[in-house]
Structure formats: structure tokens, C-alpha cells
Amino acid sequence: MKYRATFIAGAAVGYVLGTRAGRERYEQIKRMTRRLMENPTVQETAGLLRARGEELAGAAKGKAGELAGAAQKRMPGQHHGEETPVDYRDPRQETSAPQ
């Protein structure tokens, strides 16, 4: 209950202070943000980060595919163009004779 009251009090204070700042402050923040986003250096950096992110995502996707393929090849009973080793016995096929 103590945390709920603290949260409500904080939200109320934030609301009051926010409404006092009003539309003028909102517009000021909006203008500053727009100027920042239109800055050529910021745009260039964002483009580099986007390209690097796509590169890393592609590498991760390729590595995940390789790992999935390797894991699938190791699965017993799965045939992927390879013959099952002669000495391999599938434990699912083993039955024990009743005693």
C-alpha cells in the first residue's frame, strides 16, 4: 500500500508540473527534437548504425541456420542424404524380451 501511495503522489506531482510547463514547453521540445533528427551528422550515424544492425542480424541468422543444420544431422534416426552407420542401433527399436 505504501508503494501505491508513493506512485500516485509521484504521478500527481508529475501531472501538475507537466501541465504548468504547458504547450509552450512541449512545442520547444518538439522543435529541438526535429532539429536534432534533421542534423546531417545524426542522420549519418543513424544510417551507419542501421547498416551495422542489419549486418549483424544477417550474420546471426546465418549462424543460427548452420547450428540448426548441424544439430539436425546429429539427431538419431534422421536421414539427410547420409547413411546410418552400420554399428548404430536405434534405441527406440530395441525391445526387451519378457522374463
Side-chain angles (χ1 to χ4, degrees):
M1 189 68 178
K2 178 181 175 182
Y3 296 111
R4 182 181 291 176
T6 304
F7 174 76
I8 291 171
V13 169
Y15 176 78
V16 169
L17 293 176
T19 55
R20 284 191 180 165
R23 185 74 177 181
E24 183 181 324
R25 178 68 175 146
Y26 169 76
E27 292 296 333
Q28 181 185 18
I29 292 169
K30 196 168 131 181
R31 281 191 308 270
M32 288 175 21
T33 303
R34 186 174 296 127
R35 268 191 250 141
L36 178 69
M37 295 309 294
E38 291 173 354
N39 184 322
T41 304
V42 172
Q43 287 183 351
E44 182 181 340
T45 303
L48 291 172
L49 290 172
R50 190 177 304 115
R52 182 70 175 145
E54 290 171 359
E55 180 182 315
L56 290 173
K61 184 178 178 183
K63 188 67 173 176
E66 290 174 18
L67 292 174
Q72 198 171 30
K73 286 180 182 178
R74 291 176 165 229
M75 296 283 294
Q78 300 292 321
H79 302 287
H80 303 284
E82 301 173 2
E83 291 188 28
T84 304
V86 177
D87 61 341
Y88 175 77
R89 292 188 329 196
D90 189 346
R92 295 174 292 179
Q93 303 301 322
E94 294 180 13
T95 57
S96 59
Q99 295 178 353

